[in-house]
Amino acid sequence: MDDPFVIVGGDAAGMSAASKAKRENPDLEVIVFERGEWVSYAACGMPYYVKGTVDDLDDLVAVTPEEFREGRDVDLRTNHEVVAIDPDTQTVTVEADGEQFDQPYGALLIGTGARAIQPPFDGLDLEGVFTLRSMDEADAIEDDVSAHDLETAAIVGGGYVGVEMAEALTERGIEVSIYEMLPQILQPFGEETASVVEDHLEDQGVSVHLETAVDGFEGDDRVDEVLLDGGDRAEPADLVVVGVGVAPNVSLAEEAGIELGPTGAIATDEYGRTNCDDVYAAGDAAEATNVVTGEPDHVPLALTANRAGRAIGTTVAGEPTPTGGTAGTAIVKAFDLGAARTGIIDEERARDAGFDPVSVTIEAPTRPHYYPGATELTITLVADRETERVLGASLVGRDGAKRIDTVATAVDAELTVGELLNLDLAYAPPFSPVWDPVLTAAKVLSGTLE
Amino acid sequence: MDDPFVIVGGDAAGMSAASKAKRENPDLEVIVFERGEWVSYAACGMPYYVKGTVDDLDDLVAVTPEEFREGRDVDLRTNHEVVAIDPDTQTVTVEADGEQFDQPYGALLIGTGARAIQPPFDGLDLEGVFTLRSMDEADAIEDDVSAHDLETAAIVGGGYVGVEMAEALTERGIEVSIYEMLPQILQPFGEETASVVEDHLEDQGVSVHLETAVDGFEGDDRVDEVLLDGGDRAEPADLVVVGVGVAPNVSLAEEAGIELGPTGAIATDEYGRTNCDDVYAAGDAAEATNVVTGEPDHVPLALTANRAGRAIGTTVAGEPTPTGGTAGTAIVKAFDLGAARTGIIDEERARDAGFDPVSVTIEAPTRPHYYPGATELTITLVADRETERVLGASLVGRDGAKRIDTVATAVDAELTVGELLNLDLAYAPPFSPVWDPVLTAAKVLSGTLE
């Protein structure tokens, strides 16, 4: 390959690919174009900057631009925006400092990420109304909270960002309300887990408003109210964070004739290849294969982006490497609780994928009754009735939410409930009861399958 | 089956089988003969009774005799010792209150457990010298510590019991020394993990003497010295706990012509059946199949006993159910550390089983660098060079030792290192770095396999 490996976007997927490609093949020229200033930052850490757990926004940067340039010999160009891709000539058009130039590529990775969805709310441009997708936005929210004596905040959307920001802003002394259109928060976690989190949020002073549509925001210059129920009702809000989900940034790809998949993200094969020769896509802009359904899925999470980027870097360096699939595994902290999920939990989604889902929800302690500090874990475990294959799980508790990894592994390995039940998991009183809660869930689910 | 289901031994395997058989088939008569007083107790909790974490020895009893008799309709007879089995007539001979009687069985489960190995030490019968296998012994140690103003304790053997008792006795204000014949403590955990634990024990004031053979104990009535190096050296010891391992209680089985396996424990098939018709064995007296090697193994741990008992109860009640194998998964607390292991770690053992082992040891944080509370986990990951199958792992750290379950699941599911590396494990800053330490270990091991 004579022309360089060009990467569009300098975050998780892009920088993982750049680093790995250079490590595998130091002679390969790697150029990364990033339209902003920040590269390789931990977006998932941003709520903890607002909360005050993380002192400095720079702490969220995993690897600095200097380290990429000097330590890893990656030609990283910030404030460079790729405005067009031409797959026929294998060239990208780049804009920087008001000028445009063309850059040929031997291989191209599109890692353009995703953006916060902005619903058509009135008053989105009022002062004090934010989304939380970029480091600059995290910075702006923190500045705003520090600069004003805010009493109330409205969070629109009860997803990860909503729940994490509810904790962060409560910690900053603000009275927080979450407004969620659906009958539950944390939709991908299933209603049993969500319900435990909702109760805990209320216990911590957060008002959780379910099945509540937001229409917009009002105020003079600065927001002071959130409008609800078609505008019939208003609640006070000195600060608003809109976190209703993200959409993949695909316009650059689309305009170049690169195919999108059924989810609206860029379609890729198991090596992260798009329909255009030598063009790869990874991260929040791209689809990944769901390990349960085998179908394309769009789960914009950090590990999937890092891993796919790393695999593509290896492939471009000369050793074809599959990107791996996604089980949609996720974990979120909500004050004293950890909630986690993996695989397919939603019954309708399971049926759409051809399964006949059966599930149980149990409560089980994380330690034996006699050992101090035992807490309850609520686990929902889902399997297919005919094959008894484990499809997914969700769990929540004060301790032990990383136990979801056991189920994530079982889901990926296509274990049955009986095989899950027979796993030799670690037991000693300070760590677990004899039957780990995951095994207890498998026991109960196994009983319903007979 | 006209004759009852007879169970010899009323602990984990026996009582799990009794309860499950009655639940599956309430009409089945189930008789349990237990030669002692205690049934269904958590032996693994005993060090925490000595430590003072658990107030009352009765707290370690999972289910009381009354609950078994009245709630579960199990004919539980304590202080009844089975002294002979006759597989031809399907009868056991029972001794109680100095009398003997015969009891016919339709099915028999041998759950006679294991006993502490008593090496031929001089002075084993001195006051203040204990093993820790039974509830009565735990009681006696606690009484002894409470009754005397003890300054020093010697622990012979650096296995689980040794490490847990070192913590317990240190907590009781005693200066503890561990004497271990091998070059490391916690032999099944591999030397990297053991070395971290050894350093931590020393930091906590425990003297760890490796490659040190104990010859016996001396004192007038009560022990006051432990003899070392062929008797040339003596160290003070006001209390001694001998924890050099356990041996399966197989004499009853052996005398009845029931076959033992290569480990010296009772040989069983995948349903827990012995070579005699309708005779099962489970728990610490029996072998289980190692899920990595497929060979018989003897891992006397609680979960294996409970699960095999439960499966045999189901089988005897009419539905044949495999007992499941063992990965030898174990976890142990040593003061502020958790150490855990699963599968095959020892290189020689791996080679004996036909593998070509390759391993790495890494240190990785349990959280991102910017999130408070991150601690290092040291992980050793072992795979077969040719097939790249994950064979086992060992890990140790202040937090997150239950992550061994991810590897235990991968080992059981026969995943390769590449498949382990592609697992979708849960990430959020309060719980894990983007690449969980287990994935980081897989990354590094994958690199050495190329």
Side-chain angles (χ1 to χ4, degrees), chain B residues 76-407:
Chain B
L76 166 63
R77 308 199 205 163
T78 48
N79 298 310
H80 279 61
E81 183 168 7
V82 173
V83 295
I85 300 168
D86 186 340
D88 294 332
T89 61
Q90 303 225 137
T91 307
V92 295
T93 305
V94 186
E95 205 170 86
D97 296 325
E99 312 253 310
Q100 285 202 347
F101 65 92
D102 284 349
Q103 171 64 53
Y105 62 79
L108 180 72
L109 169 59
I110 304 174
T112 43
R115 65 190 181 284
I117 292 172
Q118 299 255 22
F121 293 145
D122 292 333
L124 265 182
D125 53 354
L126 285 170
E127 196 190 317
V129 178
F130 299 94
T131 59
L132 180 65
R133 185 70 202 166
S134 72
M135 293 284 269
D136 292 332
E137 284 168 301
D139 207 15
I141 296 175
E142 204 290 317
D143 281 353
D144 197 84
V145 171
S146 294
H148 302 91
D149 190 13
L150 305 174
E151 285 182 13
T152 56
I155 292 173
V156 185
Y160 313 112
V161 167
V163 168
E164 288 167 350
M165 287 302 292
E167 178 182 333
L169 294 173
T170 301
E171 180 73 21
R172 298 295 296 267
I174 302 172
E175 202 174 303
V176 177
S177 298
I178 294 179
Y179 300 97
E180 168 61 55
M181 268 174 55
L182 299 173
Q184 64 160 92
I185 61 166
L186 295 175
Q187 199 276 331
F189 289 68
E191 60 191 36
E192 290 82 3
T193 291
S195 150
V196 175
V197 178
E198 287 156 12
D199 289 348
H200 184 64
L201 288 173
E202 293 277 356
D203 287 346
Q204 299 287 333
V206 175
S207 302
V208 180
H209 305 260
L210 302 175
E211 300 184 84
T212 303
V214 167
D215 299 284
F217 316 108
E218 279 198 336
D220 301 326
D221 299 338
R222 185 173 180 97
V223 67
D224 57 21
E225 277 185 338
V226 51
L227 300 178
L228 307 166
D229 301 340
D232 289 349
R233 190 154 68 98
E235 292 284 346
D238 303 328
L239 178 84
V240 169
V241 179
V242 178
V244 297
V246 300
N249 291 320
V250 295
S251 55
L252 185 67
E254 232 180 339
E255 285 159 16
I258 294 165
E259 273 175 21
L260 307 186
T263 70
I266 302 170
T268 57
D269 72 4
E270 65 171 318
Y271 293 93
R273 291 179 296 216
T274 69
N275 64 312
C276 292
D277 286 349
D278 301 315
V279 179
Y280 301 79
D284 293 0
E287 291 184 338
T289 303
N290 187 293
V291 298
V292 181
T293 64
E295 297 295 317
D297 202 353
H298 182 234
V299 185
L301 291 176
L303 175 59
T304 309
N306 274 272
R307 182 154 47 204
R310 183 175 186 272
I312 291 165
T314 313
T315 299
V316 171
E319 191 196 337
T321 302
T323 56
T326 175
T329 310
I331 190 167
V332 63
K333 179 175 183 289
F335 293 92
D336 301 334
L337 292 181
R341 57 93 60 219
T342 191
I344 306 289
I345 301 163
D346 186 72
E347 299 212 344
E348 199 178 314
R349 210 176 149 206
R351 272 190 285 269
D352 287 349
F355 299 109
D356 178 12
V358 50
S359 76
V360 294
T361 298
I362 62 142
E363 281 191 25
T366 55
R367 293 194 179 94
H369 64 96
Y370 59 80
Y371 198 91
T375 59
E376 292 292 309
L377 211 54
T378 303
I379 307 188
T380 302
L381 185 64
V382 186
D384 177 51
R385 191 180 301 273
E386 196 193 323
T387 62
E388 305 198 356
R389 179 180 170 189
V390 178
L391 300 178
S394 178
L395 54 81
V396 59
R398 285 173 184 261
D399 185 29
K402 271 289 266 180
R403 277 169 159 100
I404 200 69
D405 287 349
T406 304
V407 187

Side-chain angles (χ1 to χ4, degrees), chain A residues 307 329 402 421 423-424 436, chain B residues 307 327 329 402 421 424 436:
Chain A
R307 183 154 45 204
T329 309
K402 270 289 267 181
L421 174 53
L423 289 178
D424 192 9
D436 187 273
Chain B
R307 182 154 47 204
T329 310
K402 271 289 266 180
L421 174 54
D424 191 9
D436 186 274

Side-chain angles (χ1 to χ4, degrees), chain A residues 20 24 42 44-45 48 51 53-54 59-62 164 302-304 306-307 310 319 322-333 337-340 342 369-372 401-406 408-410 412-413 415 419-432 434-436 439 443 450, chain B residues 20 24 42 44-45 48 51 53-54 59-62 164 302-304 306-307 310 319 322-333 337-340 342 369-372 401-406 408-410 412-413 415 419-432 434-436 439 443 450:
Chain A
K20 184 67 176 168
E24 295 294 309
C44 306
Y48 302 100
K51 186 182 173 188
T53 309
V54 175
D59 291 345
L60 299 183
V61 174
E164 288 167 349
L303 176 58
T304 309
N306 275 272
R307 183 154 45 204
R310 184 175 186 274
E319 193 195 336
T323 55
T326 176
T329 309
I331 190 166
V332 63
K333 179 175 184 289
L337 292 181
T342 192
H369 63 95
Y370 59 80
Y371 199 91
K402 270 289 267 181
R403 277 169 158 99
I404 199 70
D405 287 348
T406 305
T409 307
D412 197 280
L415 298 191
E419 288 167 335
L420 181 62
L421 174 53
N422 276 351
L423 289 178
D424 192 9
L425 304 185
Y427 158 61
F431 303 97
S432 176
V434 176
W435 294 90
D436 187 273
L439 299 179
K443 262 208 271 193
E450 279 161 12
Chain B
K20 184 65 177 169
E24 294 294 308
C44 305
Y48 302 99
K51 185 181 175 190
T53 310
V54 175
D59 290 344
L60 299 184
V61 174
E164 288 167 350
L303 175 59
T304 309
N306 274 272
R307 182 154 47 204
R310 183 175 186 272
E319 191 196 337
T323 56
T326 175
T329 310
I331 190 167
V332 63
K333 179 175 183 289
L337 292 181
T342 191
H369 64 96
Y370 59 80
Y371 198 91
K402 271 289 266 180
R403 277 169 159 100
I404 200 69
D405 287 349
T406 304
T409 306
D412 197 281
L415 298 191
E419 287 166 337
L420 180 62
L421 174 54
N422 275 350
L423 289 177
D424 191 9
L425 304 184
Y427 158 60
F431 303 97
S432 176
V434 175
W435 294 90
D436 186 274
L439 299 179
K443 262 207 272 194
E450 278 162 12

Side-chain angles (χ1 to χ4, degrees), chain A residues 111-126:
Chain A
T112 43
R115 65 189 180 283
I117 292 172
Q118 300 255 24
F121 294 146
D122 291 332
L124 267 183
D125 53 354
L126 285 169

